Structures are given as C-alpha cells and as structure tokens.
Amino acid sequence: MLEFKILKKSTKSRARLGVLKTAHGEVETPAFVPVTTQAAAKALSSEEIKEAGSQLVICNTFHLHLKPGEDYVQQAGKLHEFMHWERPIMTDSAGFQVFSLGFGVDHGVGKKIKKDDGKKLNKTIKQDKQPKNLKITDDGVLFKSPLNGDKIFIGPKESIAIQQKLGADIMFAFDECTSPLANKDYIKKSMERTHRWAKICLEHRSSDQALFGIVQGSYFQDFRQESAQYINSLDFDGFGIGGDLGISKDDTRNVLNWNIPFLDEQKPRHLLGMGYLDDMQIIVEGGVDTFDCTVPTQFGRHGIAFTSEGKLDMRKAKYFKDQEPLDKNCACPVCQNYKRSYLCHLLRAKEITGLRFLSLHNIYFFNNYIKILREKIKNNEI
Ligand SMILES: [Zn+2]
C-alpha cells in the first residue's frame, strides 16, 4: 500500500512538497532517509533515530540476507517488529553490492569519483569484462560472501523473495549499479539487463509492498533518457535513480534533468545512496522526493559534527575548553544537554558515547536541514 500526494510544486525548480502514505504512517517529502544497513543505524537505537526526527529508514537486502537471513527476520515479525521501528521502511535490492563488491573493490572507487581521481577516468571497464569477486550473468549475480567466501546467487526473483520476507513498505527492483569507470558499451549492455530484471521483479511480486523501479544509464544523456522512459513504462509504484551521477554538482544536476522529466510526476522518486549536505538543495531542486546517505553516521563515528558553523572536528584540542553547546542553533537532545568540552573529552577518551552523540546530532541536523528546504518550497523560495 502506497499513496503519494503532491501538496505544492515550486515554480522556480522541479522541487515539490508531498506526502508519502504507507501502512506504517506518512512521510513528509522531500525527506532524508538514514541508512540502517543491518537493521540498525550504527551505534543508535531505533528510538534515537526517531528522536533525531527521521521519518523513514532504508535497510540493506544483501547484508540482511547474509546475516541473520531473511527467514530469521520474518520469524521475528519482519523488519518493523524485528528492529522496533514503527515508521516506514525501504529495502534496497542488493544492486548496489553488484558494484561495491565488484568493480568498486577492484578499482578502489566509490559511486562518485573525486576530481583528483582523474587518472582513473579513462573508462577502463569494457563490455563483457567481469569483476574479480563476482560473476554477472543475464539471470543475476553470483556473489562471494564477504563473511566466509560462500557463493551467493541473487537475481531479480531472489531479490524480491528476500525483500518480501523482510517486509519493508517499499522495495526496489534488482539492478546493476554500474561503475563510473565503465565504458559506453558496458553501460548499454548492463542497462538493458537491468531493464529485463525490472520486469521480472514486477512479475514476481506477490505482496502488497510497494516496488520502485531503478533507472540506470550512468553519465550518458541518451541512456538516462532511455532508461527513464523504459522504467516509467512499467507498472512501478515509484522510481529509484541509481548509478553514478558524474563528478561535479553540475553533473548531478544534469543526470537529474536527463531522468526526472521522463518519469510520471505523480509517482515518488528516490535518489539512491547520495546526499552530502551541500548536494541536498540541488537534489531537491532537481525533483527528488527522498534520498538516503550514510554521511551523518559515518562522519559522526569519525568525530565530525555538521553544524550551522560548518563541519567541526570535535576531537580537536580547541574544543576541550569550549563550554558552548555543539551547535547553539540545534534543538537536538545532545545540543540541549551537553557542551563541546564534554563531547571533545568523550571522543579523545574514545568513549563510545561520544560517537553515539555525534551520530544522533548529525542525523538530526540532516533532518532539520531538509525541513528548512521543505519550508523554502512552501514559500516558493527554491
Ligand atoms: Zn544537535
């Protein structure tokens, strides 16, 4: 069950305000989606993720399949009961791991390459090339378990079967997230396979969970358009925008412009695995309704806080005697109750509480940042 209602469309950009209605409640969009890979945001409880203002989370199909296994989660009452999160949940399809455990590992790159990775940019992955640790066929992908080396096969049917047992409100179709280093021939072949898989996913859905189709096509305008038109022609409940988005902010804008106009505007759009703080406005103006990223918790675990003064490395000695709150403009429980001096002490003393506090504050900060963007759409400022 999924309903999407658009409340207001900006006249300045493709930004829109909406409400996503699920069996587990409503989500005000645009919304930031914290990543709860193994049914937990690292170091935080579900209550704390909620306290940080989160409306919806995304769990990882591949990792939950590895441990504890989807049968285990199903027996425990499916994800909502298992992780005690009563609000909406998404599960990705394991398509990202086709990249992250494949060519991503082989070339030491992420989905977004940095400018100074220029040398790597000579599109080295040619058609029919296979990554070292997994095998991609027309039926699906043979993974090697990162835990014990066991062979694990996941294709479109398997991905849907796993996601149905996990029981999220929104599932994603199985795809291949392609490497930014793949050449045009590779991308074409992969995109066509992702399209075939999308159809198979729809045919094998037997639950009332919503299913989003994923658009691929890398950084090629013609493929992005073709993929958006094809995925849009199928009976999906919404869309995921996957794959790499180029290097610069202009590249991100371009990819969204090549995809979004070809997607049914009445259906929600999720941007998979992207969203640095300074990208958020670009993404929202591009017409994205929800997006997930691991930045707030990842940075939090490294002692970095996002604040209204910018990113602060709270391990630095200068905060040791700082008696101000972490961010005086933040209403999160950490900023209400603790000073920078204490947080700095916790981090320097390697107390796990320090990392927990920064993760909680950072998620709150991201949620609040997008709340401000929602206000700006309401006032037609962006
Ligand atoms: Zn705070």
Side-chain angles (χ1 to χ4, degrees), residues 306 326-327 329-336 357 360-362 364-365:
F306 290 86
L326 176 55
D327 184 348
N329 298 317
C330 179
C332 92
V334 178
C335 294
Q336 292 308 302
F357 280 173
L360 175 57
H361 161 81
N362 283 349
Y364 186 98
F365 189 85

Side-chain angles (χ1 to χ4, degrees), residues 113-248:
I113 6 185
K114 294 175 195 91
K115 249 191 201 129
D116 41 356
D117 277 344
K119 274 178 250 153
K120 291 176 180 166
L121 266 172
N122 50 344
K123 306 285 181 186
T124 44
I125 304 168
K126 299 189 172 60
Q127 196 181 351
D128 299 325
K129 191 170 164 89
Q130 290 283 349
K132 285 190 194 118
N133 292 319
L134 45 90
K135 194 169 187 313
I136 306 166
T137 69
D138 281 345
D139 296 327
V141 179
L142 191 61
F143 292 93
K144 207 162 106 186
S145 162
L147 296 179
N148 53 18
D150 278 1
K151 291 203 162 57
I152 299 163
F153 181 81
I154 300 179
K157 292 178 210 169
E158 290 77 12
S159 174
I160 292 298
I162 298 167
Q163 293 187 73
Q164 291 192 154
K165 286 185 177 175
L166 295 175
D169 300 278
I170 298 168
M171 307 186 282
F172 283 91
F174 188 63
D175 64 327
E176 179 187 359
C177 175
T178 50
S179 168
L181 304 182
N183 77 4
K184 201 166 179 180
D185 291 337
Y186 185 98
I187 298 292
K188 183 173 167 58
K189 196 173 175 191
S190 165
M191 177 188 75
E192 286 166 354
R193 194 163 42 212
T194 286
H195 291 172
R196 288 194 295 276
W197 290 349
K199 249 184 125 176
I200 299 171
C201 286
L202 275 170
E203 287 159 9
H204 283 80
R205 172 176 53 170
S206 55
S207 68
D208 59 0
Q209 293 160 275
L211 179 57
F212 284 18
I214 298 182
V215 177
Q216 288 289 343
S218 189
Y219 194 70
F220 297 103
Q221 182 172 5
D222 45 350
F223 291 166
R224 281 283 171 186
Q225 182 176 332
E226 185 185 336
S227 190
Q229 282 171 321
Y230 181 77
I231 295 297
N232 189 56
S233 74
L234 304 178
D235 193 20
F236 283 112
D237 303 296
F239 309 104
I241 297 168
D244 75 288
L245 302 174
I247 301 172
S248 67

